[in-house]
Amino acid sequence: MSEAPAPRKRKAKQVPPPRASLWRVGLKWLGRGLGAVAALYAVLVLLFSFVPPPINFYQLGEVWRLGGIDKDWVSYEEIAPVMGRSAVAAEDANFCNHWGFDMAAIRAAIEAGSNRGASTISQQVVKNVFLWHGRSWMRKAMEAVLTPVVELVWSKERILEVYLNVAEFDEGVFGVQAAAQHHFGVDAKDLTPLQAARLAAVLPDPQARSASEPTSFVRSRTRAIISGAETIEADGRSACFEG
C-alpha cells in the first residue's frame, strides 16, 4: 500500500517590515549622508587653508547672469595693510576678539529687530566660499556649524585674506585686486587709506553703491571707516592679522 503524499508546505506569508525598522533604515542612510557631507566639508576646509578657493555658487550664478565676472586672487602680502583694517572696521570691528560669532553684535541686532551687523567676517567667508546666498534655515544651520571649524583651522589672517579675495565690490567684480583696478586703476598693494575705505564702504551692498562714484552716504561711511581703521590699529584690534 503506497504512502500518501506529504502535504505541501505553504509559503510563509511575507510580512512587511515593521514601521520602526523602516525608520531605522532611513535614519541610518541619513546619518551616512550627513557623515559624507561633513567629511567633504572637512577636506575642503583643510584644503582651502592653503589653496585659493575656486569659483563659488554665487559667482557661478553671476557668470550665468552677466556672461562673465572679473576676479583676480592675490596673497595677503600683496594687499595694502590699510585695506584689511578698513574691511574689519567696516564689517567686523571685533574680528580679533571673537571665535566666529560676535555675541555682543548679535544681542544688539536682536534688540534692534534686525540682523544687520550680526554677521562676522568669518561667517561671511563660510557663506561665500562653502555655501550659498539666501536666508534659509538650512544655510544658517550649516553656517553655524562650519564657522567655528574654519576659525579653528584657519588663522585670522587667512580668513581675512580669503574674505578680501571673494567679496564683491561692484556688479561682477570680485576680490580686492580686481576692485582696485576697476575703481582706481591701481593694484591692491597700492591702495591709499581713502581708496581702501571707499572699497570697504560699498560692503555689504556693492551693486547699489560705488567706490569710484560715491554718494553722500558712501562718503560719510568712508570717513567713519578711516577713523575706525585708525582706532583698531591704535588699540591693538588689528594685531591678529597684522602680526
Side-chain angles (χ1 to χ4, degrees), residues 30-42:
L30 177 61
R32 287 178 177 176
L34 291 175
V37 171
L40 173 61
Y41 275 118

Side-chain angles (χ1 to χ4, degrees), residues 126-147:
V126 167
K127 177 185 70 176
N128 289 334
V129 173
F130 300 103
L131 304 174
W132 61 93
H133 288 206
R135 297 181 180 275
S136 71
W137 285 106
M138 179 179 289
R139 186 191 69 73
K140 282 291 186 183
M142 293 178 71
E143 180 184 296
V145 171
L146 282 171
T147 297

Side-chain angles (χ1 to χ4, degrees), residues 1-91:
M1 190 172 181
S2 61
E3 294 183 3
R8 279 187 176 182
K9 287 186 178 178
R10 289 187 180 179
K11 282 188 177 179
K13 192 174 180 181
Q14 292 201 349
V15 180
R19 190 179 297 272
S21 66
L22 289 176
W23 274 105
R24 281 197 293 270
V25 171
L27 289 173
K28 181 179 178 182
W29 282 102
L30 177 61
R32 287 178 177 176
L34 291 175
V37 171
L40 173 61
Y41 275 118
V43 169
L44 291 177
V45 169
L46 288 170
L47 180 64
F48 295 159
S49 63
F50 57 89
V51 172
I55 194 167
N56 58 47
F57 291 119
Y58 177 68
Q59 291 172 349
L60 279 172
E62 290 299 273
V63 169
W64 176 265
R65 186 176 71 87
L66 301 172
I69 60 173
D70 187 6
K71 63 192 290 281
D72 187 6
W73 181 279
V74 288
S75 68
Y76 195 73
E77 290 71 27
E78 298 173 275
I79 301 172
V82 71
M83 184 68 236
R85 294 193 295 271
S86 297
V88 169
E91 290 292 285

Side-chain angles (χ1 to χ4, degrees), residues 88-103:
V88 169
E91 290 292 285
D92 187 4
N94 292 317
F95 177 64
C96 284
N97 299 332
H98 63 66
W99 47 273
F101 303 99
D102 189 339
M103 303 311 295

